[in-house]
Amino acid sequence: MSTQIFNLPDLGEGLTEADLVNWLVEEGQTISVDQPIAEVETAKALVEVPSPYGGTVLTLHGKPGETLMVGNPLITVGDDAAQSSEQPGALDYREEEQAGIAVPEETDDESSGSVLIGYGTSGGGTSGRTRAPKRAATPTKPQTDQPATVAASSAPRVISPLVRQLAKRNNIDVTHLSGSGQGGIIVRADVLAAIDAPTASSQPEATAVETDDRDARSGLTIVERVPMTGVRKMVAEQMVRSRTNIPEATAWLDVDVTELIELRARLKADNPETAPSLLALIARFTTAALRRYPVMNSRIVENHDGEEIVYFDGINLGLAAQTPRGLVVPAIEHAERLSARQLTTEISELVAKARDGQCTPAELTRGTFTLNNYGVFGTDGAAAIINTPEVAILGVGRIMDRPWVVDGEIMARKVTELTLSFDHRVTDGGTASAFLTSVADAMHHPASALADL
């Protein structure tokens, strides 16, 4: 019998590992080319991995919850598994891009598994994952290494270790939850609902803490150990790279945005459904300033001759978003082409996808400049860390009433603080300050700025 081993591919993110969340097939099952076989959690997103081979599943290499290394075996397929290397899916995803092989685009059909997708699709309420039916004539190989309670009808059906971790960290007893996923599986939404509306039944009984697990430095008892994995691990590594490699400088500026608040109020009063959001207006002023100072929208890239500054024909505007999975930065592609109203829709949809864990790896890595609205958390200002390999990040603090001098008189005005962190290897303080002032001037006199856009 001919066999083919499919190794865990580089998912196009340059990552070296992924956590196996769930198998979508079983040993002994017949699968087809491009059929999703597993859900894996990378440091960027939760994605389905399609098989480049068709045939009979002989071996599943790994158990849910394990961390798998890129390049190590993921699945072994037998019989009719040998496929032409020219067929989409038969190569590593990065090799396919280099070879120019066209992979079918994602369609409205939720059963499509020909491309890596985020957790769920944008269609109806079901996940739309494709699974081949089990063969009635030949029983599948039993999973002897899994505890028997997994199949018991009385046990909570929690497949994702991320869901288990979310429940554990919020003291939610999953045995009292009803799963809304396919087949009664408990999903993240079920746990979040229990967190928002806790009941007595959702709280586990108090358990004794191990008294011998003490921290040598503080002398206190350790009550929980949380591994640095997934998004948290990615954020930590990204921040270390940024602080280690980038000679970072920060500039800030207080801005009177009273006119901006009044303009947005008038637009909302005229048409509440189509009025641009405040963040979308700021994003529009930011993209206009980036076109005026394109070095702020560049990247530093390493090649065989060293490092070089690369410029782009567009702006992929990243938006720092806090999600249940941690901090992620999804980016709007060619944001400079969109109006403030269009940006409102794009921002709303993209942030919602990020919070639901549905962003694709491309959406989470394509940014060329980041806008961070930490004012929603009640913060006045912050020296944000640059999202490498980008060269700058703009932060917006909370808007508050402050005494401000207008035409020689002190008045109460709406004021916010803009903070710009930039890579001093790429640009100097003069250009960075000019960019920051350009955004601030537009926010201070928005009607005039919009008239020029």
Side-chain angles (χ1 to χ4, degrees):
M1 173 188 295
S2 61
T3 61
Q4 294 286 347
I5 298 177
F6 176 40
N7 297 328
L8 180 64
D10 179 349
L11 301 177
E13 306 170 79
L15 301 173
T16 60
E17 64 184 28
D19 295 334
L20 177 60
V21 176
N22 182 35
W23 286 112
L24 304 181
V25 296
E26 299 177 351
E27 292 182 356
Q29 181 176 327
T30 300
I31 62 174
S32 58
V33 173
D34 282 337
Q35 177 178 333
I37 56 175
E39 284 181 331
V40 298
E41 170 84 5
T42 73
K44 302 282 187 181
L46 189 64
V47 298
E48 291 180 348
V49 180
S51 172
Y53 310 118
T56 302
V57 177
L58 300 180
T59 308
L60 301 177
H61 300 278
K63 302 175 183 178
E66 290 184 354
T67 298
L68 306 180
M69 304 304 296
V70 170
N72 286 354
L74 179 64
I75 187 174
T76 300
V77 182
D79 292 330
D80 56 343
Q83 302 289 330
S84 167
S85 63
E86 296 301 319
Q87 182 172 4
L91 300 175
D92 181 281
Y93 297 104
R94 192 174 294 278
E95 292 173 347
E96 283 188 353
E97 292 178 359
Q98 295 172 349
I101 296 176
V103 179
E105 295 183 357
E106 188 174 0
T107 65
D108 292 336
D109 181 2
E110 292 186 1
S111 66
S112 173
S114 59
V115 294
L116 287 175
I117 59 175
Y119 187 76
T121 54
S122 58
T126 60
S127 65
R129 303 185 187 98
T130 305
R131 295 176 175 81
K134 298 179 182 179
R135 297 179 299 171
T138 305
T140 58
K141 180 179 178 180
Q143 298 286 342
T144 57
D145 56 348
Q146 294 184 356
T149 55
V150 173
S153 59
S154 60
R157 302 196 62 190
V158 183
I159 293 178
S160 170
L162 303 174
V163 174
R164 291 194 212 98
Q165 184 184 59
L166 179 63
K168 178 181 177 182
R169 296 185 67 178
N170 289 276
N171 296 324
I172 300 298
D173 188 349
V174 295
T175 61
H176 295 286
L177 300 182
S178 297
S180 61
Q182 185 175 4
I185 294 175
I186 296 174
V187 296
R188 183 184 290 108
D190 301 323
V191 178
L192 292 176
I195 295 172
D196 292 337
T199 62
S201 62
S202 65
Q203 302 300 322
E205 296 180 0
T207 56
V209 177
E210 295 292 338
T211 58
D212 57 348
D213 192 8
R214 290 186 177 274
D215 176 53
R217 182 180 295 271
S218 67
L220 299 176
T221 299
I222 298 173
V223 297
E224 184 180 14
R225 295 180 183 269
V226 181
M228 292 278 285
T229 60
V231 171
R232 179 50 53 193
K233 182 177 180 180
M234 179 273 295
V235 170
E237 293 174 348
Q238 188 85 338
M239 298 303 101
V240 169
R241 281 196 300 271
S242 182
R243 285 298 195 200
T244 302
N245 300 331
I246 298 177
E248 188 175 282
T250 304
W252 57 90
L253 187 64
D254 289 341
V255 186
D256 177 1
V257 293
T258 305
E259 291 184 19
L260 179 62
I261 298 298
E262 293 173 348
L263 172 63
R264 204 267 166 172
R266 290 196 301 271
L267 293 173
K268 188 174 182 180
D270 292 340
N271 195 330
E273 296 182 357
T274 63
S277 67
L278 194 60
L279 181 59
L281 289 168
I282 297 174
R284 186 66 189 91
F285 298 145
T286 300
T287 57
L290 287 172
R291 298 190 71 173
R292 187 176 303 173
Y293 302 98
V295 68
M296 309 302 296
N297 188 55
S298 63
R299 280 186 177 185
I300 287 187
V301 176
E302 294 186 3
N303 56 32
H304 61 280
D305 294 326
E307 294 180 333
E308 61 182 3
I309 303 173
V310 295
Y311 293 78
F312 305 100
D313 65 347
I315 300 167
N316 290 349
L317 185 64
L319 301 162
Q322 190 67 42
T323 75
R325 298 174 57 249
L327 178 67
V328 295
V329 188
I332 299 173
E333 189 173 20
H334 278 293
E336 81 284 357
R337 299 175 179 174
L338 305 179
S339 67
R341 285 189 172 89
Q342 291 171 323
L343 283 169
T344 299
T345 302
E346 290 292 327
I347 291 173
S348 177
E349 293 178 353
L350 194 60
V351 171
K353 285 181 65 178
R355 288 173 178 164
D356 292 339
Q358 295 181 350
C359 284
T360 64
E363 289 172 327
L364 295 172
T365 57
R366 67 191 180 194
T368 57
F369 183 90
T370 297
L371 180 60
N372 187 0
N373 181 25
Y374 43 71
V376 296
F377 301 111
T379 302
D380 293 340
I385 298 177
I386 297 172
N387 186 24
T388 182
E390 298 171 16
V391 301
I393 179 172
L394 178 64
V396 183
R398 64 172 176 168
I399 299 174
M400 56 188 300
D401 290 331
R402 288 176 54 183
W404 201 259
V405 177
V406 180
D407 296 331
E409 297 183 4
I410 298 178
M411 301 181 179
R413 305 289 284 183
K414 301 292 184 181
V415 178
T416 188
E417 182 179 278
L418 298 182
T419 305
L420 177 70
S421 297
F422 61 96
D423 189 336
H424 227 315
R425 296 173 300 174
V426 176
T427 185
D428 55 26
T431 302
S433 296
F435 166 80
L436 182 61
T437 301
S438 177
V439 178
D441 288 345
M443 293 174 62
H444 181 49
H445 298 297
S448 176
L450 289 173
D452 294 332
L453 295 180

